[in-house]
Amino acid sequence: MKKLALIFSIVFILSAATTTFAAETYNWRLVTTWSTSIPFYETAQHFAKTVDKLSEGQLKIKVYPAGAIVPAFQVFDAVRNGVAQMGHDWPGYWKGKNEAFVPFASVPFGMNSLEYTIWLQHEGMDLAKEVYGKFGLVPLMGGNPGQEIGFFTKKAVNSVNEMDKMKIRTVGWAAEIFEKMGVNVSPLPGGEIYLAFERGVLDGAEFSTPSTTYPLGFQEIAKNVLVPGWHQTSCQNMFMINEKAYNKLPGHLKYILEIASRETQLWSMAEREYGNAVAIKKYKEEGVTFNKLDDDSLNKLRKTTKDYLDGLRKKNALLDKVLTSQEDLIQLYSNWKEVKSGVSAYPYGDYIKGKHLE
């Protein structure tokens, strides 16, 4: 009997061990709105590698560029309908689904990358779950590469009043704000900008952050950039997961996805901001001049932006809720920004000459 009991014990232990080592594995597809040449594609790859390592291979995510499975602007529906389990994007692309997606991407005169991360950490992700949840999706932070560079122009421009006879490429809320100010706007896709610029169809254009825009070669056509990038003070990316696929995961894998998304958010900020600094150095070496918008122009743009957004908020309670939350964070954080200002890390010579504030 003792031998029989021992045999049963050994069988039980081996059975338990086999069950442990045979934990179910998951193979997911992640579709993006990016071509492989756009750095944001690398962000999605970084996330997938992090998940693979943290889960010890239990959750493997294969990343696909735009067009490999679905075109860029079909990513939302592909994930929603289960064609892929995940997507990576700039949420402003989905304004046609609900205007409330846009504040999770960028807001003119809005938060920088650090402030976005603070907001998402404390309240933003709860609101994101509310917005994405209406479409059967689960959101995760997807990286923030910083402020957009501004508008390349063939001639030097310092005032928005000088733009009323120009044709400018931009998209989203910025395009509609410009149009309200009488600027002629063309929302060309990124891949068509260079040729249109070169042929004179455009007088000015923006695309993204310095490191993302540099490879497009606008500096070969236009040697002036109108800054700052008021239209997109940072560029928040997001991951989205099909809710049904997400609910099939065990708890520890759900937690790994969340941890990997937070790590990717910080990785993206550091990696891309370094790349932005390198890109600006290259632009200067290639003879590009950065022209600052005058204060009157910035105030005019700010007022037009507020009027425009106030109109949208009256039509969409969810959008109003999200923007109110962002404004609350901006108001709260402004107290600390004021107290800590004056010691920004400029080179010694610049600081002594009076360059104290960002």
Side-chain angles (χ1 to χ4, degrees), residues 196-208:
F197 217 170
E198 185 180 44
R199 292 179 174 177
V201 176
L202 295 174
D203 301 302
E206 63 79 29
F207 180 65
S208 186

Side-chain angles (χ1 to χ4, degrees), residues 22-61:
E24 183 177 359
T25 57
Y26 300 84
N27 292 285
W28 279 13
R29 300 198 292 185
L30 191 162
V31 290
T32 74
T33 55
W34 325 115
S35 66
T36 56
S37 62
I38 294 177
F40 304 157
Y41 181 77
E42 185 184 359
T43 302
Q45 288 182 309
H46 174 86
F47 170 81
K49 289 176 183 176
T50 302
V51 170
D52 184 40
K53 289 179 180 178
L54 290 177
S55 70
E56 296 183 335
Q58 190 179 0
L59 176 54
K60 291 187 176 294
I61 301 173

Side-chain angles (χ1 to χ4, degrees), residues 265-315:
Q265 179 81 1
L266 296 177
W267 176 89
S268 169
M269 290 169 63
E271 195 74 12
R272 300 300 165 226
E273 285 288 28
Y274 182 85
N276 290 339
V278 171
I280 293 299
K281 183 175 182 290
K282 289 180 179 178
Y283 279 131
K284 289 182 176 180
E285 290 171 348
E286 294 178 36
V288 172
T289 300
F290 295 92
N291 306 299
K292 289 278 188 179
L293 273 168
D294 59 43
D295 287 346
D296 287 342
S297 292
L298 287 169
N299 287 336
K300 185 176 180 180
L301 284 163
R302 185 70 182 91
K303 290 174 182 176
T304 305
T305 296
K306 185 180 185 307
D307 291 342
Y308 171 72
L309 293 181
D310 284 349
L312 293 181
R313 294 168 76 160
K314 290 176 182 177
K315 303 173 186 176

Side-chain angles (χ1 to χ4, degrees), residues 160-168 175-185 300 304:
V160 72
N161 295 329
E162 300 175 55
M163 302 177 73
D164 59 354
K165 295 180 181 179
M166 299 172 66
K167 189 163 188 178
I168 303 293
E176 294 170 26
I177 290 165
F178 260 152
E179 287 173 348
K180 283 184 173 292
M181 299 177 71
V183 177
N184 189 359
V185 175
K300 185 176 180 180
T304 305

Side-chain angles (χ1 to χ4, degrees), residues 1-15:
M1 290 294 291
K2 289 183 180 181
K3 288 184 179 180
L4 187 59
L6 179 60
I7 291 171
F8 277 126
S9 297
I10 293 171
V11 170
F12 177 82
I13 291 169
L14 291 174
S15 177

Side-chain angles (χ1 to χ4, degrees), residues 60-134:
K60 291 187 176 294
I61 301 173
K62 186 171 182 179
V63 180
Y64 294 88
I69 295 179
V70 294
F73 296 143
Q74 291 181 23
V75 163
F76 185 96
D77 288 330
V79 178
R80 185 183 180 189
N81 296 326
V83 174
Q85 291 84 2
M86 288 193 71
H88 187 240
D89 57 54
W90 182 72
Y93 293 145
W94 320 127
K95 71 189 296 288
K97 305 290 184 182
N98 192 311
E99 205 85 39
F101 279 106
V102 183
F104 294 99
S106 65
V107 177
F109 294 96
M111 300 179 292
N112 62 29
S113 56
L114 173 60
E115 291 159 346
Y116 248 110
T117 304
I118 294 169
W119 174 68
L120 289 169
Q121 171 82 14
H122 284 273
E123 187 174 22
M125 286 309 300
D126 288 336
L127 290 168
K129 290 173 184 176
E130 183 175 348
V131 175
Y132 281 79
K134 292 181 179 295

